Amino acid sequence: MHRVGSAGNNANSTRPRKEKRLTYVLNNSDDTKHCAGINCLAVLKSSVSNGVDYLFTGSRDGTLKRWSLADDVGSCSATFESHVDWVNDAVLVGDNTLVSCSSDTTLKTWNCSSDGTCIRTLRQHSDYVTCLAAAEKNSNIVASGGLGAEVFIWDIEAALAPSKSGDAMEDDCSTGINGSGNSLPVTSLRTIGSSNSISAHTSQSQGYVPIAAKGHKESVYALAMNDSGNLLVSGGTEKVVRVWDPRTGSKTIKLRGHTDNIRSLLLDSTGRYCLSGSSDSMIRLWDLGQQRCIHSYAVHTDSVWALASTPTFSHVYSGGRDLSLYLTDLATRESLLLCTGEHPILQLALHDDNIWVATTDSSVHRWPAEGRNPQKVFQRGGSFIAGNLSFSRARVSLEGSTPVSSRFKEPNFTIPGIPGIVQHEILNNRRHVLTKDAAGSVKLWEITRGVVVEDYGKASFEEKKEELFEMVSIPAWFTVDTRLGSLSVHLDTPQCFSAEMYSADLQIAGKPEDDKVNLARETLKGLLAHWLAKRKLRLGSQATVNGDVLSAKDISARSLTHSRVEVDGNAENDSVVYPPFEFSTISPPSIITEGSQGSPWRKKITDLDGTEDDKDFPWWCLDCVLNNRLPPRENTKCSFYLHPCEGSAVQILTQGKLSAPRILRIHKVVNYVIEKMVFDKPSDSVNPDGTFAPPLGGGPLQSSAVGDGSFRSGLKSWQKLRPSIEILCNNQVLSPDMSLATVRAYVWKKPEDLVLNYRVVQGK
């Protein structure tokens, strides 16, 4: 699974440091919709009559959204963007605070009524945070659990309070980016040892650290808390329900009965009864006072992933992997299939007489539920009595017995999402990516501008991939994944700086056609154009000139890790963004990265306001964009031999090995041959602009500059009288537009140095 974490050195590690990565996420044109599955739901009821209720949704696309619900219309009134991986759960705390957790290992707090500003980032987990629980009548207490066999109990008021020392937690209220290397304010850590006694020690971050409820040996997937916050239950891959006192973190009970992972938990308001849903397809009702299971409900035919109860805890709504939503009377065991969808159900949220259903789809559906009087649903018939053995419902399904018909066929309201990308292919030109979404629509993206350049509709992905194939060879300067339902483009140094193209091939007007353009450098300039403009206004035009982008100490320290740092001499030291690298401001991409002192952060490029700390960006990124410096690059040259074809009467021009940029076109080699043939005594010196002429003695060329300086815009007038030349490789005539890299990859296909042959073409 994809994991997000620090890319720096571990303590005492002797391995070379891996530099921080920069990722940009290409957002859809309609940013008011989710583009991946919905993992969590939270309903905020209006405190006044006839007021507007709100629904909060957390998605696998890494964002949360707030939906205003009025007159059966759901409009997105805010997007909460800061997490860098899946949002797994969210709970409402008090009147105006939303707490979310993510696979990026963090919890984040938000102002419910804000425009999407993150208040704080809370870091304590070592792995994915999968679930949260809150106490309805105690707005200070929130519990979090995750894959690291960890459960923490947070005092939200204390966690959000500024430190007396002024060294606050990761405060995102101004920039959305960590402003300090310390993630939490100063206090002491209370941990629960194996004897359940509370011990204190200083935390690593020297800040507020929640109570750690220790005892789990494996991953935690479900939590629940009673209204007053004095009882907490947890479950996960250990197949047991653990009961805790959240005030101390001490274990009180362990309940056994499930035969597979526990995926969902509920507590009644008093904390006496507990409901659990499991991957063993069973729902169990536990009496915590008696410390035993008092009822088992075999309702589902597959894993139970979501539970929601009526306010009186008399009925339970359940959903899961079998795509079905059931309502069960806990006392009479009567059960009813409410609806069957197309996607597994991940979470449920009652809202008056309806229920919101979150699934692996990007849309959210609301179904009738009679939540305030569920007996109304049963009065219409169609129910069955739930068995108490897990195979009873499964057997009915397998034996083809009369299927239970669902009460409702269609939801009464839907908040639509955008189908997420499920398949992608990076094309050979290394600028386009072909994608296919969950609805079967195929699109072509230009990743250096972040836009869709062709929408093919519902077409064959494989056929389009074949149709768009180009016989070109460009280094792999980026990688892509679609974990967030959209294209995430990853740039890693120094690999990302390996790809270059001529300005003529990019159709950049006003720039010499033989100028080399580094794709990563120009892409970074496009991504940070808004930030650069804002930063220049804030710091003044002298900021870059004075070299205070990164301190001299920082630059020298970085440079020591490299043998050399290259300055891109062909690129102006400015912030001009060329058209092939202009990103949309209507649907701008979001940057995900990590600086030298913070944790990963995410923000739209148009939301960067220039106040961000330089240290929140990878140093190599700023060094490239602001100082025009590129890290050392390998394999930018291609070595080859140039000989006359066998049996040709053409003179041998050189015995030595030549070296030229990988992107050099064959027509430049043709020009080179013609120039050598025309002069009675060819010049053996290297031009200042890097002509790839062999030195005296026929040895290999040593110049590291571009090898096409003397071949500008075709042949000179005196050359037009000379014979036409063809270049061959492996007896195949090469197209003048092919690059040396393409010839090597698709024609030569050998590890040895490339061998090219030339011949005079008669009659041309």
Side-chain angles (χ1 to χ4, degrees), residues 609-620:
D609 57 12
T611 63
E612 295 81 11
D613 193 322
D614 289 345
K615 292 182 179 179
D616 284 314
F617 295 89
W619 75 272
W620 58 267

Side-chain angles (χ1 to χ4, degrees), residues 52-326:
V52 175
D53 293 346
Y54 293 101
L55 174 69
F56 293 87
T57 55
S59 172
R60 295 178 177 183
D61 63 17
T63 70
L64 299 103
K65 293 185 185 294
R66 182 184 67 221
W67 306 90
S68 302
L69 306 174
D71 300 324
D72 281 345
V73 175
S75 59
C76 179
S77 54
T79 295
F80 299 79
E81 183 175 15
S82 183
H83 283 297
V84 303
D85 206 338
W86 288 10
V87 177
N88 293 323
D89 205 359
V91 293
L92 292 165
V93 179
D95 296 328
N96 204 35
T97 301
L98 180 72
V99 181
S100 60
C101 69
S102 167
S103 295
D104 64 13
T105 76
T106 70
L107 282 73
K108 291 182 183 286
T109 61
W110 316 79
N111 183 327
C112 289
S113 58
S114 75
D115 59 356
T117 301
C118 178
I119 302 172
R120 290 287 168 83
T121 298
L122 309 176
R123 301 185 63 85
Q124 192 63 35
H125 286 267
S126 63
D127 209 330
Y128 294 7
V129 191
T130 57
C131 52
L132 298 172
E136 188 170 325
K137 295 181 179 178
N138 186 340
S139 60
N140 285 338
I141 304 300
V142 171
S144 60
L147 299 191
E150 298 163 324
V151 173
F152 295 108
I153 301 102
W154 302 80
D155 182 328
I156 295 299
E157 183 178 351
L160 298 185
S163 166
K164 293 180 181 178
S165 66
D167 182 19
M169 266 185 299
E170 295 180 13
D171 191 338
D172 300 336
C173 57
S174 60
T175 66
I177 302 173
N178 309 323
S180 168
N182 293 333
S183 55
L184 304 165
V186 176
T187 181
S188 62
L189 168 67
R190 292 194 297 168
T191 56
I192 310 304
S194 57
S195 62
N196 292 340
S197 60
I198 299 178
S199 59
H201 63 79
T202 304
S203 74
Q204 183 179 1
S205 60
Q206 295 185 346
Y208 167 81
V209 178
I211 295 173
K214 293 189 175 180
H216 276 284
K217 299 179 179 63
E218 298 178 19
S219 299
V220 177
Y221 279 103
L223 293 171
M225 197 180 294
N226 67 336
D227 285 358
S228 61
N230 59 14
L231 195 68
L232 173 71
V233 291
S234 63
T237 57
E238 293 174 79
K239 310 170 191 176
V240 298
V241 177
R242 295 182 184 271
V243 185
W244 311 83
D245 183 344
R247 296 165 295 186
T248 61
S250 57
K251 294 181 290 185
T252 59
I253 307 172
K254 183 191 294 184
L255 302 172
R256 302 182 184 275
H258 283 294
T259 60
D260 208 334
N261 302 340
I262 295 172
R263 298 300 301 268
S264 185
L265 290 167
L266 291 178
L267 276 176
D268 75 333
S269 58
T270 65
R272 175 171 181 179
Y273 295 106
C274 172
L275 277 168
S276 59
S278 167
S279 295
D280 63 12
S281 78
M282 294 295 292
I283 301 171
R284 290 182 178 270
L285 177 63
W286 309 83
D287 187 320
L288 301 187
Q290 299 181 30
Q291 301 186 21
R292 69 183 184 92
C293 176
I294 55 176
H295 286 294
S296 296
Y297 306 92
V299 174
H300 291 268
T301 59
D302 209 330
S303 301
V304 180
W305 289 348
L307 298 173
S309 72
T310 54
T312 59
F313 216 72
S314 60
H315 296 73
V316 64
Y317 300 86
S318 58
R321 194 173 178 181
D322 60 5
L323 322 180
S324 299
L325 174 65
Y326 287 91

Side-chain angles (χ1 to χ4, degrees), residues 526-537:
L527 287 169
L528 296 180
H530 185 85
W531 177 75
L532 286 168
K534 293 288 187 180
R535 184 181 186 278
K536 187 174 182 179
L537 288 174

Side-chain angles (χ1 to χ4, degrees), residues 556-574:
S556 61
R558 301 301 187 189
S559 300
L560 287 175
T561 64
H562 303 293
S563 59
R564 59 193 171 94
V565 175
E566 300 178 4
V567 176
D568 188 352
N570 289 325
E572 306 92 294
N573 189 11
D574 57 28

Side-chain angles (χ1 to χ4, degrees), residues 672-694:
Y672 173 83
V673 172
I674 291 176
E675 183 178 86
K676 289 297 182 181
M677 292 176 63
V678 166
F679 290 117
D680 292 333
K681 186 177 180 181
S683 172
D684 290 330
S685 62
V686 178
N687 291 339
D689 55 1
T691 302
F692 64 95

